[in-house]
Amino acid sequence: MTTRSYRPTRAEIAPGAIRRNVERIGVLVAPAAVCAVVKGDGYGHGIVTAASAALEGGATWLGVALAEEAFVLRDAGFTVPVLLLSEPVAAAWGDLVAGDIDVAVYSQAAIDAAQSAAASAGRVAALHLKVDTGMHRVGCAPGDAIGLAHAVHESPRSRLAGLFTHFATADDPASMYPAIQLERYRQVDDALADAGIGGYLRHAANSAGAIAVAGARFDLVRCGIACYGIAPSPALQGRVELEPALRLVSAVSHVKRLGGGEPVSYGCRFVTERETTVITVPIGYADGLPRSLGLNGGYVLVGGRRRPVVGTVTMDQLMVDAGDLPVAVGDEVVLLGTQGDDEIDANEMAAREGSIGYEIVTRLGPRVPRVTVGPN
């Protein structure tokens, strides 16, 4: 991918906002430590930028989903604890042990692979046992946790560094399921204590859990989306002060005046009702925008005013009904973020698509340059 950038489309990333979000989360969850989850290229914000800002905000751990992401952090010079949140493929264990990466395990096969790699390297593998308390994605059954914990604890080539789980519905304040999951987790934790196994970090809370489930904060919280200033769900908006750290911006590339009855974009699914100004903006679904944004009532900000995206978003461009606003080529268009007194956030855009704010920011593609802005 070329480093040249001529198109006005860009994602403005504010590291200072990430730092302040992490600081506020840290105050909320104290004395628990904060693991800033920077998987998915820092939720679309840039993994190195996000990691640096989060650590400045007081995070003491970094969380990733892939072994490759862990190595990006180590290669960038980060020496803090890094937690790989799912079991890796067998071929990755040697490098993970050598890189001093903490790794999730939930099967005997993974524990065996970790201990073998550690023996070959003359090291001790730091393993976090993940218990499936009801999410049913990955994790061991609660009934298997004691045996697996013993397998880790009793070997000289591994240590039980953590016991953790993951909530399925902590973003819904009305859900009782987090309490059920938390009780299952506590039963495993108590059973390990009864077995004489301890000294590990306990962690259960994701962003939603950290904000809404005070009893789940334990020793460490794993916060992802909240670090980037996006509430885990609209229902949790305002529970902690958060600043969006990403502003998605482009500019008007073409202006046309159309009469009533004129179709716009593929499929002619939008037809003007009256004479109006339609502007073109050089960003599309190849950049990660939903193709249906204009069909589902999406907006952008132009001149500090909300104007509707119209017709089907195309691969590289979209169209906006500017009405009678005075607009010109080069005028700023904001797709996410503030302009004037108005704001469009990721959760708003996501709601129109039947999705969540996480998807909106993580799907932004590599054609969109990330540009850091503002003081740290």
Side-chain angles (χ1 to χ4, degrees):
M1 189 71 179
T2 179
T3 57
R4 296 188 180 95
S5 181
Y6 305 109
R7 191 173 59 150
T9 300
R10 65 194 182 278
E12 297 177 348
I13 310 299
I18 297 174
R19 175 180 57 77
R20 290 186 291 275
N21 292 330
V22 173
E23 287 175 347
R24 291 166 185 143
I25 292 165
V27 171
L28 177 69
V29 304
V34 176
C35 173
V37 180
V38 295
K39 63 182 181 176
D41 195 28
Y43 286 54
H45 295 65
I47 186 170
V48 172
T49 298
S52 297
L55 294 174
E56 290 173 2
T60 54
W61 284 71
L62 298 171
V64 296
L66 308 176
E68 292 86 344
E69 293 172 330
F71 300 138
V72 168
L73 293 173
R74 285 291 186 253
D75 290 345
F78 292 99
T79 59
V80 299
V82 174
L83 173 60
L84 176 57
L85 294 163
S86 294
E87 287 182 349
V89 298
W93 274 109
D95 288 336
L96 288 165
V97 170
D100 195 26
I101 307 298
D102 285 49
V103 184
V105 291
Y106 33 86
S107 69
Q108 188 62 54
I111 294 169
D112 291 343
Q115 291 169 346
S116 176
S120 296
R123 300 175 69 96
V124 177
L127 305 179
H128 293 237
L129 182 63
K130 183 167 191 178
V131 183
D132 179 8
T133 58
M135 175 78 173
H136 299 321
R137 179 174 58 183
V138 295
C140 69
D144 295 333
I146 303 303
L148 293 174
H150 272 294
V152 174
H153 182 67
E154 293 171 1
S155 169
R157 290 304 175 189
S158 60
R159 66 181 179 90
L160 188 62
L163 178 74
F164 76 115
T165 192
H166 192 76
F167 289 127
T169 63
D171 58 345
D172 178 4
S175 175
M176 297 303 295
Y177 202 46
I180 294 170
Q181 289 191 259
L182 199 53
E183 178 58 27
R184 292 170 180 166
Y185 175 84
R186 286 186 172 126
Q187 289 174 356
V188 173
D189 186 35
D190 289 343
L192 289 183
D194 290 343
I197 301 174
Y200 50 79
L201 287 172
R202 299 180 303 156
H203 48 109
N206 52 7
S207 286
I211 292 169
V213 187
R217 291 167 185 162
F218 295 117
D219 303 310
L220 183 73
V221 298
R222 307 181 309 271
C223 287
I225 197 69
C227 295
Y228 307 101
I230 300 170
S233 67
L236 297 183
Q237 188 78 39
R239 292 285 192 95
V240 61
E241 183 183 356
L242 299 172
E243 303 173 49
L246 183 149
R247 186 170 180 262
L248 184 60
V249 182
S250 191
V252 177
S253 62
H254 187 62
V255 180
K256 64 193 77 65
R257 191 74 178 172
L258 297 179
E262 294 291 339
V264 176
S265 197
Y266 289 122
C268 300
R269 299 176 69 180
F270 171 82
V271 179
T272 59
E273 295 181 353
R274 56 177 177 78
E275 184 178 358
T276 191
T277 297
V278 173
I279 60 175
T280 301
V281 184
I283 184 171
Y285 64 76
D287 301 300
L289 288 183
R291 183 173 181 266
S292 57
L293 183 62
L295 308 176
N296 290 333
Y299 288 89
V300 299
L301 299 176
V302 185
R305 300 274 299 277
R306 280 180 179 245
R307 299 307 307 171
V309 179
V310 293
T312 303
V313 172
T314 70
M315 185 178 290
D316 313 298
Q317 300 175 96
L318 58 78
M319 278 67 77
V320 175
D321 184 353
D324 296 321
L325 280 179
V327 289
V329 170
D331 286 353
E332 181 186 73
V333 178
V334 174
L335 296 100
L336 291 173
T338 59
Q339 187 189 64
D341 296 326
D342 206 347
E343 178 180 12
I344 298 172
D345 67 22
N347 279 329
E348 176 188 332
M349 183 182 287
R352 300 183 189 282
E353 300 299 317
S355 185
I356 56 176
Y358 302 66
E359 182 181 7
I360 297 301
V361 290
T362 59
R363 70 190 294 177
L364 293 177
R367 299 201 317 178
V368 181
R370 272 61 167 180
V371 180
T372 57
V373 297
N376 288 332

